[in-house]
Amino acid sequence: EPEVTQTPSHQVTQMGQEVILRCVPISNHLYFYWYRQILGQKVEFLVSFYNNEISEKSEIFDDQFSVERPDGSNFTLKIRSTKLEDSAMYFCASSERFTGANVLTFGAGSRLTVL
Amino acid sequence: QKEVEQNSGPLSVPEGAIASLNCTYSDRGSQSFFWYRQYSGKSPELIMFIYSNGDKEDGRFTAQLNKASQYVSLLIRDSQPSDSATYLCAVRSGGYQKVTFGIGTKLQVIP
């Protein structure tokens, strides 16, 4: 069964450092997403990406965050200068289309710990 | 602010019983409704989706949608200990790609 793969599974970083989280979406999917989940809290939308540009973003997705699709397969989330409150599980997801059910398939997640 | 509300639980049911999970949403323009299951430390996995009023059945699972009441529910029949997880209700509003999640209801199935 096709899956979304994420690397790294766990990253520990110092406050103020840059972090890049990587994702390989399902190959025939066109829409890509980043969500995050702080421990014990909701899964929160960060950004959606289609046709090589951001299509929607949340208030959380400020200037410290950026996304990129550097080649035909990878989709990355960059956090420029990490804060303690960025510690969370970051989930990449992809979907085949926008209309209708728009079912999201999630990757296993990347746990980010900021010290 | 578009909200999705769930009781965080835990909801405890005996093995073999029916578990009933409920969710309300604030945006009347919502079009698609999802139930995801999340085991501790894992990512959400889709159980089922619904976008028409009424019931939709898939094996032991039945999703129910009432758009007039802005209410969606999930019934799990013949609950098994392996169903013990957090169940996330999620909603997509019309015209948007973003899917908004509730806090999730933790279900415990007692053997």
Side-chain angles (χ1 to χ4, degrees):
Chain A
E1 186 170 327
E3 60 179 23
V4 176
T5 58
Q6 290 187 243
T7 55
S9 57
H10 189 192
Q11 180 152 1
V12 181
T13 190
Q14 294 291 324
M15 191 169 55
Q17 295 297 303
E18 177 183 283
V19 161
I20 296 176
L21 306 178
R22 292 183 168 79
C23 169
V24 179
I26 293 173
S27 60
N28 66 335
H29 283 189
L30 300 177
Y31 298 87
F32 315 121
Y33 310 81
W34 284 100
Y35 282 78
R36 79 172 186 190
Q37 187 175 31
I38 295 170
L39 190 63
Q41 297 188 24
K42 294 183 182 185
V43 175
E44 300 176 289
F45 170 78
L46 293 178
V47 65
S48 61
F49 192 86
Y50 170 69
N51 200 26
N52 283 319
E53 61 182 23
I54 290 173
S55 45
E56 289 177 63
K57 60 182 182 178
S58 71
E59 293 175 354
I60 303 168
F61 194 88
D62 61 19
D63 291 345
Q64 291 300 312
F65 291 89
S66 62
V67 289
E68 194 176 41
R69 188 157 163 84
D71 54 42
S73 58
N74 289 286
F75 178 51
T76 63
L77 174 70
K78 181 192 290 187
I79 309 174
R80 288 190 181 82
S81 178
T82 50
K83 307 183 183 77
L84 295 176
E85 54 264 36
D86 293 327
S87 294
M89 181 74 96
Y90 287 81
F91 294 111
C92 176
S94 66
S95 66
E96 192 173 0
R97 59 181 183 269
F98 163 39
T99 56
N102 188 36
V103 172
L104 301 181
T105 302
F106 285 87
S110 294
R111 181 171 298 283
L112 176 64
T113 302
V114 182
L115 302 177
Chain B
Q1 186 80 351
K2 298 168 185 173
E3 299 288 343
V4 179
E5 300 292 338
Q6 294 182 260
N7 187 324
S8 60
L11 172 67
S12 294
V13 300
E15 183 175 354
I18 296 175
S20 178
L21 305 161
N22 304 313
C23 171
T24 58
Y25 58 95
S26 63
D27 181 15
R28 286 199 171 273
S30 299
Q31 291 191 342
S32 306
F33 307 86
F34 308 85
W35 284 100
Y36 284 83
R37 178 174 60 199
Q38 186 176 32
Y39 292 109
S40 182
K42 303 294 185 182
S43 60
E45 55 179 335
L46 181 74
I47 298 173
M48 60 193 306
F49 63 87
I50 185 169
Y51 43 82
S52 299
N53 272 329
D55 295 0
K56 180 180 178 182
E57 187 174 317
D58 184 1
R60 295 187 295 115
F61 299 95
T62 299
Q64 299 174 316
L65 175 61
N66 184 326
K67 288 186 178 180
S69 300
Q70 295 175 239
Y71 177 90
V72 58
S73 65
L74 179 71
L75 300 177
I76 307 174
R77 289 180 297 282
D78 188 25
S79 296
Q80 301 297 307
S82 57
D83 294 327
S84 297
T86 297
Y87 288 79
L88 310 178
C89 174
V91 174
R92 184 180 72 82
S93 295
Y96 295 92
Q97 296 164 21
K98 167 186 173 181
V99 173
T100 301
F101 286 80
I103 188 69
T105 299
K106 184 172 184 177
L107 173 67
Q108 295 175 338
V109 180
I110 312 300

